[in-house]
Amino acid sequence: PSLMPRLKPSILKHSTQGKKVATAAYLIALGCFFCALRPLPATERFSGQKTSFHDFVMYEDRDLGRRVVIPKQAAEGNPWIWRARFWGHEPQFDLAMLRHGFHVASCDVSNLFGSPEAVERGNEFYRDLVKQHGLSPRPVLEGMSRGGLFIYNWAAANPGKVTAIYGDAPVMDFKSWPGNQASGQRPTGAWKTCLDAYGLTPEQAADYQGIPLNNLAILAQAGIPLIHVVGDDDTVVPVGENTAIAEKRYLELGGTIKVIHKPGVGHHPHSLKDPTPLVDFVLDAWNNTMSQGSPATQSQ
């Protein structure tokens, strides 16, 4: 009612034209009301300095550790790729998705190893992009190497807010890396930083359950499709301690997972020279999300 324009009763009471005006005013007010309920289109102007990422416009806020790259033409629903860690490294997938109308964004969660603090920092970033800038409430998560810890832990905390997950040689258990416990080798130099991020002792870390490998049931129940790219000779983040376990468990849980193997390849190089299989997988997942109802109108 507060949206209705105030019309003089003397005009409306005895005038057919007044009735038409009242009807038109009512319809306009009703339209405004429902428009107010819908999220705004993606806002081009993000916080930070306007720079470039290859031939795309990028906004970079170094104080907050945030980057957002703008596609030439945003796809319906304002989809986006949320990349965790190693910004700009092997960017062929990100560039392909930009050409398909996806935004590509990142926030700094370095040296937090997917800890609760990292998840909360991600929550703030998500709220800003979705509520303030109109991006889809169901991004695609991308994590290379240690970035796997963040994307999987954030997804487990927010299973209804994820379209798909792309892990590239992803860490699924911090005891595998940086702990090196399965191999019996000395932990890497990042192990202490990881323990500090979680507030754990080495003894407590051995029994800690909040790792991606233990949270797959949440993702399977939410119907989140997963795709991994791994080098079969990876000795840094061994496939047998991470992706192989995740694949077996996810399939047993009834989830969808695709693993692309690179024979004779180690931890590097990441990604694929031709990212088409990744792009096709993500586009299928996005189309499924859109078919369930426009993500722009779903609950946030």
Side-chain angles (χ1 to χ4, degrees):
S2 61
L3 294 174
M4 288 289 294
R6 293 186 178 181
L7 302 176
K8 294 181 179 180
S10 60
I11 295 176
L12 298 180
K13 187 174 181 180
H14 301 293
S15 172
T16 302
Q17 184 177 0
K19 294 179 181 179
K20 292 180 179 179
V21 171
T23 301
Y26 174 78
L27 293 175
I28 290 171
L30 192 64
C32 291
F33 174 75
F34 282 109
C35 285
L37 294 179
R38 299 180 61 187
L40 297 174
T43 303
E44 182 178 329
R45 186 65 175 91
F46 292 83
S47 64
Q49 181 181 3
K50 185 177 180 180
T51 60
S52 65
F53 179 75
H54 296 262
D55 61 340
F56 294 92
V57 172
M58 177 174 76
Y59 290 96
E60 183 174 17
D61 190 328
R62 294 186 178 181
D63 292 335
L64 296 177
R66 297 178 176 184
R67 300 180 182 91
V68 181
V69 186
I70 314 298
K72 306 292 186 184
Q73 179 65 48
E76 181 184 0
N78 296 325
W80 54 298
I81 305 295
W82 184 351
R83 176 159 179 162
R85 297 287 293 156
F86 306 113
W87 178 259
H89 176 66
E90 299 289 346
Q92 46 269 36
F93 168 72
D94 296 338
L95 294 174
M97 298 314 299
L98 282 163
R99 289 190 286 270
H100 279 282
F102 283 61
H103 289 67
V104 177
S106 175
C107 68
D108 183 17
V109 290
S110 58
N111 295 323
L112 293 176
F113 301 88
S115 66
E117 181 182 346
V119 171
E120 182 51 40
R121 188 177 297 183
N123 289 341
E124 294 175 2
F125 183 58
Y126 172 90
R127 286 192 292 266
D128 181 59
L129 292 194
V130 173
K131 295 187 176 182
Q132 301 301 319
H133 295 284
L135 296 192
S136 167
R138 293 187 60 183
V140 174
L141 308 185
E142 175 191 4
M144 288 185 177
S145 194
R146 72 178 71 181
L149 290 169
F150 173 76
I151 61 173
Y152 273 99
N153 284 349
W154 192 87
N158 300 276
K161 300 176 180 178
V162 180
T163 285
I165 292 176
Y166 158 39
D168 199 294
V171 178
M172 306 289 288
D173 181 355
F174 59 40
K175 295 188 298 296
S176 172
W177 186 94
N180 282 346
Q181 293 186 9
S183 64
Q185 300 177 11
R186 292 174 58 86
T188 71
W191 182 229
K192 183 179 185 304
T193 305
C194 178
L195 293 176
D196 290 345
Y198 281 86
L200 300 172
T201 65
E203 293 74 24
Q204 291 171 330
D207 297 324
Y208 185 73
Q209 296 301 304
I211 59 173
L213 289 178
N214 292 340
N215 292 326
L216 293 171
I218 299 172
L219 309 185
Q221 185 175 6
I224 300 172
L226 317 178
I227 186 167
H228 284 195
V229 174
V230 296
D232 288 342
D233 292 349
D234 191 340
T235 57
V236 178
V237 182
V239 178
E241 299 173 14
N242 295 275
T243 290
I245 299 174
E247 181 181 23
K248 181 176 184 296
R249 290 183 181 178
Y250 211 60
L251 290 173
E252 290 173 348
L253 290 164
T256 297
I257 181 170
K258 179 178 182 179
V259 179
I260 299 174
H261 293 266
K262 297 184 291 188
V265 176
H267 193 60
H268 294 281
H270 286 292
S271 192
L272 301 171
K273 290 183 179 180
D274 179 1
T276 299
L278 300 170
V279 172
D280 289 346
F281 187 91
V282 167
L283 289 178
D284 284 345
W286 175 248
N287 289 335
N288 287 336
T289 292
M290 290 294 288
S291 68
Q292 296 167 9
S294 172
T297 63
Q298 292 178 6
S299 172
Q300 298 170 14

